Amino acid sequence: MSKVLLLKSIFFFTFFVNLTNFAISQDSFSLRGQFLLDKKVVIGAVVTVYDGKEIVTQTATNSIGKFWINLSLQKKYVLQFKKQGIPTQKVVISTSVEEMKGDYLKSKVVVFSLSSTKQSKEGPGTDDAVASFMVNKNGILERDHPEIPEIAEVKDDKIVKVEEVINDLENKTEEIITTQIPEDEKEVQLADYSALKRKKDSIIYWAERKAELIINDALKESDEITKEAARNASKTVAAKKNELKSEAKIKEDLKELAIEEKPFLEREDIKSYRAKLDELNKKQNLSSKDSIIYLETSILFKDEMVKSARLQLEIDKLSAKTREDSLALQQRENEILMAEQEIEDAKGEIEVQKLVIRQKNTILFFTIIALLFFVLLSVMVYRSFRNKKRTNAILEKNNIEIAKKNKKILDSIRYAQTIQQAILPIKSTIDKHFDWFIIFQPKDIVSGDFYWFNHFEETGKSVFAVVDCTGHGVPGAFMSMIGNRLLIDAVKEKEIVKPIEILEEIDARLRIALMQDQTANNDGMDICVCTIDYLENNKCRIDFAGAKRPLFYSDGKDGEMKYLKGTVRGIGGKKRLRERAIKPFEENTLILEKGEMLYLTTDGFFDLISPKGKKFGRVNFMDLLEEHYKKSLPEQREAIMDALQIHKGSEFQIDDITILGVKL
């Protein structure tokens, strides 16, 4: 996870009520925690605290995964998180410190962000704890050991991916054809990632080497197939050659079969067979095809010889008279039968050889097709990889330039944030006169919202204002600077304290500053302003006027929350609306008891969108205030922040949010 994402995660899930550190007693440590599993809040998990084997206390996480427990100092505890359906998690907490700064130990919200891949055994043991925390010298609970650097994990992932790709290529190669690869080429050493990078383009390099080996072996196998077929055929051919290569042998065979030599050898078909055999005899090395032709021709020659012998035998049988003649004819018939059997055996052998050659040729054909496909695929992968590498290089260069520009822009905006923070009221100034809290949460780094305060020592009157300027981010921040200056001019310098007069003054000055009567500028502001004056008998007078913004307040008599509507008219704004009859601002006066609450807001919280597409709304906001307004100010602030987080969920904040709470 990048630093930005990590900061966002911590921001969304650990934003707590009180921004200041709180003090706790010397012998007690107050732990505010939040339980996350795989970066998701776990609700309703049972938190059990062990001291040794004894259970110290138990609690449960609330609707945003938070819990709060008190622990003694100089102790070592085991915190066990348990909920049905998730792995049991366990962390070690040490509250032992050797020295401290100041009189108190301080606590902060500790996020126990654990992983579901680690499950601990139940019980108080510490050996299977998935995390360890301890109190440092400043009294702050922090993790006891650093995290593993993310870059190492990334490097390992890349090596594993390269190994998987190469193994996949090797498996595909073995499926195409089984070959005998030299021992020194069988294994690809991938132990060193940097060495692999230097070997050309790692995946393609080994794919090409493997393809080269396969092609060479396939060619060798092809030669072996041809040679083997030739050898098998040549065995029979050699035997037949020895039988037919001499005239003497032919004449001897004719004599044994009682065939007349001259008429038989003068036949045209016999001449063609002999001519073909002579032609093949002149060749020193016969191909597999020529060997088969030689065998078939010699068999045809021998078959004709046997047919002639059979015909002559039948003729001679008719003229046989003595027993000796019959015995001689029987012997000749036996020789003819043997010759016929030899011919049939030779024909069967030829068919077997033809079948073997066809099968091996088929295997060779598909092997070559597969190799060609593999080579083509390797070329395509290489080109794709090369193009992707080139594109990635361009993107990386562009990303670097964009990152540099973004950094400059962000640095400028962050510096603008410090300037904007400087115009906001100093906390200690308001603390002298009121108990109060503020929720100031810009959508972007700088805000179009701001809050304002001024106290008149001579009269004891105080003026509060919350302003929502047009836009947010940088444009809104510019408008907030203008609005702050206009409030200073109207209230501090001209000492205007009536809210309606303040709004009229700001409206007139803003139109002049932005020249809205002469231009098409439509920027403006929504403001709620109230002046507080303390009376006798513990009562306060509140004069209020609002430009499109209401004032929320608690009524102790009725025990409920109420609100005063603002005037439906903004400060500045569209010229076409200003050209109509301008509605005057309305002022309202309240007399409230001390201890009651006032709330000044912008519309950012009301317009907050939930994952279901619903806004929070004014009614829900008043119900929220009515439920918590009697609590302490830190508790009120925390309740509002929790409600904000729960309603927003995974959605983005769409506007700046400002809520100012003042206790009379």
Side-chain angles (χ1 to χ4, degrees):
M1 179 184 291
S2 66
K3 292 183 178 179
V4 174
L5 290 176
L6 182 60
L7 290 174
K8 285 185 177 180
S9 176
I10 295 174
F11 178 81
F12 287 133
F13 292 107
T14 65
F15 210 94
F16 49 90
V17 174
N18 198 346
L19 294 178
T20 60
N21 292 325
F22 59 91
I24 58 175
S25 61
Q26 184 70 14
D27 59 350
S28 178
F29 185 80
S30 181
L31 172 63
R32 288 174 176 262
Q34 186 177 41
F35 177 36
L36 276 67
L37 189 66
D38 294 332
K39 303 176 185 176
K40 294 182 179 179
V41 171
V42 179
I43 301 171
V46 177
V47 185
T48 306
V49 182
Y50 291 93
D51 181 2
K53 295 185 178 181
E54 296 182 359
I55 296 178
V56 177
T57 184
Q58 276 190 335
T59 185
T61 57
N62 64 12
S63 58
I64 57 173
K66 289 184 179 181
F67 63 93
W68 192 348
I69 55 176
N70 288 322
L71 303 174
S72 298
L73 291 176
Q74 311 303 333
K75 291 278 190 177
K76 185 175 182 179
Y77 299 95
V78 175
L79 270 64
Q80 178 180 283
F81 300 93
K82 184 177 180 182
K83 183 180 180 181
Q84 185 176 3
I86 67 172
T88 300
Q89 305 287 320
K90 189 185 298 181
V91 299
V92 177
I93 299 295
S94 174
T95 59
S96 300
V97 289
E98 296 180 359
E99 60 178 280
M100 299 168 290
K101 293 184 179 181
D103 298 331
Y104 301 98
L105 287 175
K106 297 178 180 179
S107 173
K108 64 178 181 179
V109 173
V110 179
V111 180
F112 300 102
S113 183
L114 307 179
S115 172
S116 63
T117 59
K118 299 178 180 179
Q119 180 173 2
S120 302
K121 300 177 182 177
E122 296 186 19
T126 60
D127 293 339
D128 58 341
V130 296
S132 176
F133 292 78
M134 65 180 298
V135 179
N136 63 19
K137 294 181 180 181
N138 297 324
I140 303 298
L141 198 69
E142 63 180 15
R143 198 161 185 131
D144 193 19
H145 58 82
E147 295 291 339
I148 298 174
E150 183 180 355
I151 187 172
E153 297 178 2
V154 173
K155 180 179 179 182
D156 291 341
D157 287 343
K158 288 182 179 178
I159 294 174
V160 170
K161 289 178 181 177
V162 172
E163 291 174 339
E164 291 175 352
V165 171
I166 294 177
N167 288 335
D168 185 56
L169 289 175
E170 290 182 342
N171 291 335
K172 289 180 180 179
T173 303
E174 291 175 358
E175 292 174 3
I176 294 171
I177 182 170
T178 302
T179 181
Q180 184 65 32
I181 300 175
E183 189 66 28
D184 57 348
E185 296 290 340
K186 277 188 176 180
E187 296 183 358
V188 180
Q189 300 298 327
L190 297 174
D192 187 358
Y193 179 72
S194 60
L196 181 66
K197 288 276 288 184
R198 292 194 297 270
K199 289 186 178 181
K200 202 179 177 182
D201 299 305
S202 57
I203 299 172
I204 304 305
Y205 174 82
W206 289 109
E208 290 176 347
R209 293 289 296 120
K210 184 73 73 176
E212 181 181 351
L213 290 172
I214 293 170
I215 292 171
N216 291 336
D217 288 340
L219 293 175
K220 291 179 182 178
E221 184 173 349
S222 175
D223 291 339
E224 289 297 327
I225 292 172
T226 303
K227 290 178 181 178
E228 184 179 356
R231 283 195 299 269
N232 293 334
S234 295
K235 291 178 182 178
T236 306
V237 171
K240 298 302 178 183
K241 272 187 175 183
N242 292 331
E243 294 178 4
L244 301 174
K245 65 183 178 179
S246 65
E247 289 288 337
K249 178 63 175 173
I250 295 173
K251 291 178 181 180
E252 183 180 350
D253 291 340
L254 292 174
K255 185 177 181 180
E256 287 180 358
L257 296 174
I259 300 173
E260 294 184 12
E261 178 182 333
K262 188 173 182 181
F264 180 78
L265 296 178
E266 292 295 329
R267 287 169 50 180
E268 293 298 327
D269 55 342
I270 298 301
K271 287 181 179 180
S272 64
Y273 294 152
R274 294 190 68 187
K276 188 66 176 177
L277 292 172
D278 290 340
E279 180 184 347
L280 295 174
N281 280 329
K282 292 177 182 179
K283 294 183 178 180
Q284 293 184 355
N285 295 318
L286 295 180
S287 65
S288 58
K289 182 178 180 181
D290 288 340
S291 298
I292 298 298
I293 293 173
Y294 190 96
L295 288 174
E296 290 177 338
T297 305
S298 62
I299 288 172
L300 290 173
F301 181 87
K302 191 69 176 285
D303 190 46
E304 291 298 324
M305 186 183 294
V306 172
K307 288 179 180 179
S308 297
R310 174 66 69 179
L311 179 60
Q312 186 64 44
L313 177 64
E314 296 300 327
I315 295 172
D316 290 343
K317 281 183 179 181
L318 296 175
S319 60
K321 296 178 179 180
T322 64
R323 180 177 176 79
E324 288 78 8
D325 292 339
S326 298
L327 292 174
L329 292 173
Q330 183 64 44
Q331 184 178 356
R332 283 171 56 190
E333 186 172 7
N334 291 337
E335 291 177 356
I336 291 172
L337 290 173
M338 291 177 61
E340 288 175 343
Q341 185 62 43
E342 288 179 4
I343 291 172
E344 292 299 323
D345 292 342
K347 288 181 179 180
E349 186 177 354
I350 289 174
E351 292 302 321
V352 171
Q353 293 299 324
K354 285 182 177 180
L355 179 62
V356 171
I357 291 174
R358 282 198 299 268
Q359 290 177 342
K360 292 189 176 183
N361 285 339
T362 301
I363 294 173
L364 181 61
F365 173 76
F366 283 107
T367 300
I368 293 173
I369 293 297
L371 288 173
L372 291 175
F373 175 77
F374 179 76
V375 171
L376 179 62
L377 181 63
S378 299
V379 172
M380 293 174 63
V381 171
Y382 173 75
R383 288 182 177 178
S384 176
F385 180 79
R386 185 178 60 186
N387 293 336
K388 186 176 181 181
K389 187 176 180 181
R390 186 184 298 114
T391 303
N392 288 343
I394 296 173
L395 291 175
E396 184 177 0
K397 182 179 179 181
N398 293 340
N399 288 339
I400 292 173
E401 293 297 324
I402 292 171
K404 289 180 180 179
K405 293 178 180 179
N406 285 343
K407 186 178 183 302
K408 290 181 180 179
I409 294 171
L410 287 175
D411 289 344
S412 299
I413 294 175
R414 288 194 180 97
Y415 189 76
Q417 182 187 28
T418 62
I419 297 174
Q420 188 180 45
Q421 291 287 342
I423 71 170
L424 297 176
I426 300 173
K427 181 179 180 299
S428 58
T429 302
I430 305 178
D431 288 343
K432 293 178 182 178
H433 308 286
F434 294 95
D435 290 331
W436 67 295
F437 72 85
I438 184 68
I439 296 175
F440 184 67
Q441 189 165 308
K443 174 184 179 295
D444 301 313
I445 298 174
V446 290
S447 174
D449 290 0
F450 71 96
Y451 58 97
W452 196 86
F453 172 78
N454 186 62
H455 180 74
F456 295 93
E457 294 293 342
E458 298 81 1
T459 61
K461 293 184 178 182
S462 299
V463 179
F464 280 99
V466 169
V467 185
D468 183 0
C469 300
T470 300
H472 45 75
V474 174
F478 275 109
M479 287 295 296
S480 69
M481 299 292 288
I482 296 173
N484 181 73
R485 182 67 255 176
L486 295 178
L487 279 169
I488 292 174
D489 291 343
V491 179
K492 284 190 175 182
E493 296 182 4
K494 295 186 177 181
E495 296 186 353
I496 301 173
V497 295
K498 288 183 67 62
I500 57 173
E501 294 179 2
I502 294 173
L503 295 182
E504 291 289 357
E505 177 69 15
I506 294 174
D507 182 59
R509 295 291 298 276
L510 181 64
R511 294 203 310 271
I512 295 172
L514 299 180
M515 295 186 290
Q516 292 185 333
D517 293 332
Q518 293 82 31
T519 66
N521 182 275
N522 294 322
D523 296 320
M525 304 174 187
D526 297 341
I527 308 178
C528 52
V529 180
C530 65
T531 301
I532 302 174
D533 189 11
Y534 284 101
L535 307 176
E536 297 179 354
N537 299 324
N538 290 327
K539 294 185 180 296
C540 297
R541 173 182 172 131
I542 296 93
D543 295 321
F544 163 76
K548 293 186 178 181
R549 295 305 308 149
L551 173 69
F552 299 92
Y553 65 95
S554 63
D555 188 346
K557 296 179 181 179
D558 298 334
E560 61 181 12
M561 290 300 304
K562 297 182 179 180
Y563 76 101
L564 297 173
K565 291 184 178 180
T567 305
V568 186
R569 170 189 168 189
I571 302 297
K574 296 182 179 180
K575 183 178 179 181
R576 62 181 178 81
L577 297 178
R578 296 196 304 270
E579 290 175 348
R580 301 176 184 176
I582 298 177
K583 185 176 182 179
F585 291 110
E586 299 175 0
E587 186 171 278
N588 295 276
T589 300
L590 296 172
I591 304 296
L592 299 177
E593 298 285 341
K594 283 187 178 181
E596 300 294 344
M597 290 294 302
L598 301 178
Y599 301 95
L600 292 78
T601 73
T602 60
D603 61 358
F605 194 8
F606 304 156
D607 294 340
L608 196 64
I609 301 295
S610 71
K612 295 182 179 179
K614 294 183 178 181
K615 293 184 179 182
F616 194 87
R618 175 179 56 80
V619 175
N620 289 334
F621 182 70
M622 291 188 66
D623 292 341
L624 177 65
L625 295 180
E626 189 167 329
E627 182 180 355
H628 299 284
Y629 79 91
K630 293 182 181 180
K631 297 180 181 180
S632 66
L633 295 182
E635 289 176 329
Q636 290 187 49
R637 187 180 186 280
E638 183 175 13
I640 295 173
M641 288 300 299
D642 288 347
L644 185 154
Q645 179 62 37
I646 292 171
H647 180 78
K648 181 170 70 69
S650 60
E651 294 297 314
F652 291 103
Q653 184 177 327
I654 62 173
D655 198 1
D656 302 320
I657 296 174
T658 303
I659 301 174
L660 174 65
V662 181
K663 189 172 184 179
L664 299 176

